[in-house]
Amino acid sequence: MISVLGAEKLSLVEIEAFLMASDGVRFVGSSRVELYKWVERLLCHHEYPLQKRRAKGLLRAYVERLTGFSRAQSTRLIGNYLKAGRIVLKPSLRPRFSPATPGRRELLARSTRRTIP
């Protein structure tokens, strides 16, 4: 695992130079929570709402490059930051299945057995 410490504290000039120099480089974080916290620190450090259009574009591109998020994902995160001042991981609303235990497997096997006449 490669870690980029202090990457959220680079100046806008350094971010622009990094984006131009690292065209073929992609980074991926270890967990979604960690990535969201990093993006929040970056936006807070650079006072994103106060930036001009060009600086906002640089910061968005920087987020996409370092996190591996798509443009839509980064737009959603930045929008959440602008709305609430934070980026919070929302729990999934989809129903989750509990893991199959040996007892459940046996019950499923018994219920699906067919009797041959």
Side-chain angles (χ1 to χ4, degrees), residues 3 9 18-19 25-26 31 45 51 57 66-68 73-75 79 81 100 112:
S3 166
K9 294 180 182 172
F18 173 81
L19 289 172
V25 178
R26 296 280 179 219
S31 73
H45 176 76
Q51 296 295 331
L66 284 183
T67 61
Q73 286 172 308
S74 62
T75 299
Y81 176 77
T112 56

Side-chain angles (χ1 to χ4, degrees), residues 1-45:
M1 177 174 114
I2 297 175
S3 166
V4 182
L5 298 174
E8 69 272 6
K9 294 180 182 172
L10 294 176
S11 71
L12 292 174
V13 174
E14 292 170 326
I15 288 174
E16 184 175 17
F18 173 81
L19 289 172
M20 296 186 90
S22 65
D23 221 12
V25 178
R26 296 280 179 219
F27 297 97
V28 178
S30 61
S31 73
R32 181 171 287 172
V33 174
E34 187 179 303
L35 289 174
Y36 280 21
K37 286 181 183 178
W38 181 83
V39 172
E40 186 177 335
R41 284 194 313 267
L42 173 77
L43 298 176
C44 185
H45 176 76

Side-chain angles (χ1 to χ4, degrees), residues 26-117:
R26 296 280 179 219
F27 297 97
V28 178
S30 61
S31 73
R32 181 171 287 172
V33 174
E34 187 179 303
L35 289 174
Y36 280 21
K37 286 181 183 178
W38 181 83
V39 172
E40 186 177 335
R41 284 194 313 267
L42 173 77
L43 298 176
C44 185
H45 176 76
H46 285 285
E47 298 177 333
Y48 186 84
L50 304 177
Q51 296 295 331
K52 302 273 186 201
R53 184 177 184 159
R54 184 173 186 281
K56 286 181 177 182
L58 281 175
L59 291 170
R60 180 186 311 272
Y62 188 56
V63 166
E64 290 169 13
R65 179 72 50 87
L66 284 183
T67 61
F69 290 153
S70 68
R71 185 164 179 85
Q73 286 172 308
S74 62
T75 299
R76 180 180 51 81
L77 286 179
I78 292 171
N80 288 344
Y81 176 77
L82 290 174
K83 225 185 273 185
R86 300 189 63 206
I87 298 175
V88 181
L89 182 65
K90 293 182 183 177
S92 174
L93 299 176
R94 295 183 305 166
R96 302 240 182 222
F97 295 105
S98 55
T101 60
R104 283 189 178 169
R105 286 188 199 121
E106 186 178 323
L107 180 63
L108 179 64
R110 271 191 273 134
S111 66
T112 56
R113 281 190 199 135
R114 294 188 180 175
T115 57
I116 301 175

